[in-house]
């Protein structure tokens, strides 16, 4: 009996730990890295993947790679134990902490690898966020290439943070314009959540700041953006821990031997010119990676195949696919607005409800009473979907997305119009780009209100306007195909 109880305890602890690890992973970073590794492998390189024990890899999916644990962090370490929770604040403080404390250990392990390796190690490729690896690579005379998993546009905005800060764009807690109240509350609330444990003492409570601009005003330096887009990045200015992290990331990217982008020239032509001016190192635009190696091949989570059998029963272009990526979290009220909006829109939907998507909830328990009965067969809910296949399915008519860059690119590649509901970071920037530059999305820019949600759903799936959006999305898809035939990942 004792053995059984112990056994259960252990299993439960292992399950909880695995959930934490899976949620805290940003698949939007790991998927592209694995896809890039596959692309390079197909060009004849042998690949060693270095990863920490924060990742749970299904290494059996990659028998052609060598996997090596590095920086074998002690989970009992007082600092690291703070990281095992779910919010984006924890994710960012984890990134900062590992950057601060990993250089010596990584230098030692990489050095041992260089000495022991039978083949010459020609290059280290790291995610741009691991900026500490530049000094390690320099110290070992090893070229470092940076993988940047966002759009070029987003990096240009990050590079403009000091200018935007000087012009007061981050200090707008009293604002005028539509949706002000929502914005104010949301930003204030989230800033408190967002303060990372390790940087808490540096953060100052933001209060009593006079309104300087209208939310709807275009940013003079970057006219694609509105003032409220800058706020939604959830940065409080140059002194903010996230801004410092981004500044370090950009500095060490400029010191690298080159940047690999998961984007393509035809999509961000004018941004590429500016990147060449700001970053005097080679830029390699070899995306979209998933066109060479689908995301499902590099996925760390089993997708629910019932998504496809359910889609097979729906009419062409009729379904709204909903997913907010691997890390974003909804407040309970926002979640209820989503559910009511879906119910009133009366359109078929496939909804990815990741466990932990709603703060304070395990899975579906916060759905309004009677919701599942009301929508019946019209709606299908899964924990994780084969997103690439879903977007390519003929029944999928639109994608309600948080505009993580991978999701945005995947939607563009399949010619699927978007409803944009970004959460933080690069997402509000991509949402603005999708709606105002590419014009293939409807931006829910004033938050989560059921009527506006239902109206946006009708705009992309039912109203006459949907044909124009769909046509532009189709043209963009063509550009992807052209870019692939002219470039390829050579
Ligand atoms: C993170 C950040 O949130 C994002 O802003 C940044 O651009 C990249 O890193 P994430 O939130 O995971 O990414 O979003 P996204 O970039 O869209 O990546 C999600 C990936 O998971 C996509 O490749 C998508 O295809 C996949 N996915 C998502 C599934 O395979 N199934 C699902 O059900 C949901």
């Amino acid at each position: 009996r004792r053995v059984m109880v112990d056994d259960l305890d252990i299993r439960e602890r292992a399950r909880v730990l695995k959930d934490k690890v899976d949620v805290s992973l940003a698949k939007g970073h790991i998927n592209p890295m694995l896809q890039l590794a596959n692309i390079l492998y197909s060009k004849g390189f042998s690949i060693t993947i270095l990863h920490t024990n924060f990742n749970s890899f299904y290494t059996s999916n990659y028998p052609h790679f060598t996997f090596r644990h590095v920086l074998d962090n002690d989970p009992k370490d007082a600092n690291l134990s703070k990281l095992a929770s779910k919010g984006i604040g924890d994710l960012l403080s984890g990134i900062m902490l590992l950057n601060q404390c990993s250089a010596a250990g990584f230098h030692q392990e990489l050095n041992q690898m260089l000495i022991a390796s039978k083949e010459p190690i020609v290059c280290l490729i790291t995610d741009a966020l691991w900026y500490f690896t530049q000094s390690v690579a320099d110290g070992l005379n090893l070229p470092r290439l940076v993988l940047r998993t966002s759009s070029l546009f987003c990096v240009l905005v990050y590079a403009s943070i000091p200018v935007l800060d000087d012009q007061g764009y981050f200090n707008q807690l009293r604002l005028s314009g539509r949706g002000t109240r929502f914005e104010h509350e949301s930003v204030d609330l989230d800033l408190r959540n967002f303060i990372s444990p390790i940087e808490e003492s540096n953060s100052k409570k933001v209060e009593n700041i006079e309104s300087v601009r209208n939310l709807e005003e275009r940013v003079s330096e970057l006219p694609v953006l509105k003032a409220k887009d800058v706020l939604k990045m959830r940065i409080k200015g140059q002194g903010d821990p996230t801004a410092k992290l981004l500044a370090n990331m950009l500095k060490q990217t400029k010191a690298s031997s080159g940047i690999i982008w998961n984007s393509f020239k035809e999509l961000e032509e004018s941004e590429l010119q500016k990147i060449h001016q700001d970053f005097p190192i080679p830029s390699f635009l070899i995306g979209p990676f998933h066109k060479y190696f689908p995301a499902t091949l590099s996925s760390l989570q089993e997708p629910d195949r019932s998504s496809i059998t359910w889609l097979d029963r729906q009419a062409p272009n009729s379904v709204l696919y909903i997913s907010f990526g691997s890390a974003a979290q909804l407040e309970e009220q926002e979640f209820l607005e989503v559910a009511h909006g879906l119910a009133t829109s009366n359109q078929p939907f496939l909804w990815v409800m990741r466990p932990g998507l709603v703060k304070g909830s395990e899975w579906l328990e916060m759905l309004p009473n009677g919701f599942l009965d009301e929508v019946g067969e019209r709606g299908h809910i899964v924990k994780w979907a084969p997103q690439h296949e879903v977007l390519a399915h003929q029944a999928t008519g639109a994608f309600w997305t948080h505009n993580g860059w991978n999701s945005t690119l995947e939607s563009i590649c399949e010619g699927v119009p978007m409803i944009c509901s970004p959460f933080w970071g690069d997402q509000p920037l991509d949402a603005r780009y999708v709606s105002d530059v590419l014009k293939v999305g409807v931006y829910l820019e004033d938050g989560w209100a059921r009527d506006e949600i239902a109206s946006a759903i009708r705009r992309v799936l039912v109203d006459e306007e949907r044909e124009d959006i769909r046509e532009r999305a189709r043209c963009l898809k063509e550009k992807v195909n052209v870019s692939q035939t002219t470039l390829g990942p050579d």
Side-chain angles (χ1 to χ4, degrees), residues 376-441:
E377 251 300 287
R378 175 163 73 77
H380 190 64
I381 297 178
V382 293
K383 289 183 177 168
W384 194 250
Q387 180 161 304
H388 190 226
E389 269 180 82
V390 167
L391 290 170
H393 198 286
Q394 58 159 359
T396 304
F399 179 16
W400 187 3
T401 171
H402 69 313
N403 286 111
W405 184 238
N406 295 286
S407 294
T408 304
L409 263 185
E410 286 158 17
S411 204
I412 287 171
C413 288
E414 299 306 332
V416 177
M418 286 169 250
I419 296 177
C420 307
S421 285
F423 286 70
W424 31 255
D426 58 339
Q427 300 158 14
L429 311 176
D430 293 336
R432 180 62 64 199
Y433 201 80
V434 162
S435 73
D436 289 24
V437 179
L438 303 175
K439 298 186 195 303
V440 294

Side-chain angles (χ1 to χ4, degrees), residues 34 64 75 85 102 111 150 160 171 187 214 259 328-329 362 416 443 462 470:
L34 290 171
H64 47 304
S85 71
S102 301
N111 193 29
S150 73
S160 306
N171 292 333
V187 170
N214 186 299
I259 320 175
Q329 286 190 298
E362 285 293 314
V416 177
Y443 190 175
V462 185
R470 201 173 286 163

Side-chain angles (χ1 to χ4, degrees), residues 173 186-195 206 234 236:
L173 291 187
S186 155
V187 170
D188 208 358
L189 178 77
D190 286 328
L191 284 180
R192 263 183 281 125
N193 291 341
F194 189 61
I195 293 164
V206 186
R234 301 192 190 176
K236 290 174 286 172

Side-chain angles (χ1 to χ4, degrees), residues 58-123:
Y58 295 145
T59 49
S60 53
N61 287 352
Y62 309 94
H64 47 304
F65 297 160
T66 305
F67 285 88
R68 241 183 112 117
H69 258 114
V70 288
L71 304 169
D72 208 5
N73 311 102
D74 178 3
K76 290 190 195 121
D77 179 292
N79 278 326
L80 296 173
S81 64
K82 287 186 194 158
L83 304 179
S85 71
K86 296 182 176 180
I88 179 61
D90 300 298
L91 205 60
L92 282 170
S93 46
I95 293 166
M96 288 178 211
L97 190 61
L98 287 176
N99 269 301
Q100 279 161 20
C101 66
S102 301
F106 191 56
H107 182 281
Q108 198 182 2
E109 294 182 42
L110 200 54
N111 193 29
Q112 278 167 6
M113 267 184 72
L114 286 168
I115 294 166
S117 177
K118 292 196 183 83
E119 297 172 295
I121 296 178
V122 290
C123 183

Side-chain angles (χ1 to χ4, degrees), residues 51-336:
H51 65 107
T52 68
N53 58 4
F54 290 102
N55 297 332
S56 56
F57 274 101
Y58 295 145
T59 49
S60 53
N61 287 352
Y62 309 94
H64 47 304
F65 297 160
T66 305
F67 285 88
R68 241 183 112 117
H69 258 114
V70 288
L71 304 169
D72 208 5
N73 311 102
D74 178 3
K76 290 190 195 121
D77 179 292
N79 278 326
L80 296 173
S81 64
K82 287 186 194 158
L83 304 179
S85 71
K86 296 182 176 180
I88 179 61
D90 300 298
L91 205 60
L92 282 170
S93 46
I95 293 166
M96 288 178 211
L97 190 61
L98 287 176
N99 269 301
Q100 279 161 20
C101 66
S102 301
F106 191 56
H107 182 281
Q108 198 182 2
E109 294 182 42
L110 200 54
N111 193 29
Q112 278 167 6
M113 267 184 72
L114 286 168
I115 294 166
S117 177
K118 292 196 183 83
E119 297 172 295
I121 296 178
V122 290
C123 183
L124 173 69
I125 303 179
T126 61
D127 191 289
L129 286 172
W130 300 127
Y131 53 82
F132 78 92
T133 57
Q134 186 58 47
S135 64
V136 175
D138 287 344
L140 294 169
N141 279 331
L142 191 62
R144 170 188 177 232
L145 287 174
V146 168
L147 169 62
R148 182 58 205 158
T149 55
S150 73
S151 61
L152 281 70
F153 174 64
C154 155
V155 166
L156 290 171
V157 178
Y158 287 166
S160 306
I161 286 175
V163 179
L164 296 176
D165 193 20
D166 289 346
Q167 294 180 355
Y169 280 101
F170 294 103
N171 292 333
Q172 299 173 52
L173 291 187
R174 251 189 249 158
L175 296 157
S176 55
R178 189 161 174 264
T180 304
R181 207 179 128 63
F182 174 84
E183 289 295 336
H184 184 158
E185 284 178 355
S186 155
V187 170
D188 208 358
L189 178 77
D190 286 328
L191 284 180
R192 263 183 281 125
N193 291 341
F194 189 61
I195 293 164
S196 65
I198 53 167
E199 299 280 354
E200 203 150 9
S201 58
N202 296 339
S203 65
K204 291 195 180 73
K205 199 161 184 279
V206 186
E207 55 191 12
N208 296 330
I209 293 167
E210 291 303 319
S211 162
V212 283
R213 294 174 204 278
N214 186 299
L215 274 173
E216 302 298 325
E217 186 182 309
R218 293 278 167 182
V219 175
S220 46
E221 289 292 316
L222 296 151
V224 169
L225 294 182
K226 290 185 181 177
K228 62 183 175 188
D229 302 331
V230 179
L231 267 192
K232 285 180 183 174
M233 289 161 68
R234 301 192 190 176
I235 290 173
K236 290 174 286 172
Q238 295 168 81
D240 180 284
T242 309
K244 286 185 189 160
L245 182 140
L246 294 173
N248 282 334
M249 177 186 90
L250 295 179
K251 186 174 168 205
Q252 298 307 333
T253 296
K254 285 180 185 172
S256 75
S257 304
I259 320 175
I260 300 172
W261 302 89
N262 188 10
S263 188
F264 58 100
K265 193 161 74 54
E266 289 77 359
L267 186 67
E268 298 194 86
E269 197 125 37
S270 62
E271 283 75 20
L272 180 58
Q273 285 170 16
K274 294 194 192 100
I275 287 285
H276 281 322
Q277 288 160 15
D278 285 10
F279 291 74
I281 50 171
S283 262
F284 306 100
L285 276 72
I286 60 169
F289 295 170
H290 74 275
K291 292 297 269 183
Y292 305 101
F293 288 93
T296 39
L297 277 183
S298 57
S299 179
L300 304 174
Q301 203 153 338
E302 274 308 310
D304 187 334
R305 302 292 313 165
S306 72
S307 314
I308 303 300
T309 46
W310 181 84
L311 279 174
D312 287 343
R313 297 197 294 275
Q314 312 304 319
N317 292 324
S318 68
V319 171
L320 178 70
Y321 169 59
I322 309 151
S323 166
F324 302 127
S326 63
Q329 286 190 298
L330 286 164
E331 299 291 340
E332 183 183 352
Q333 186 52 40
E334 295 168 340
F335 173 69
L336 291 176

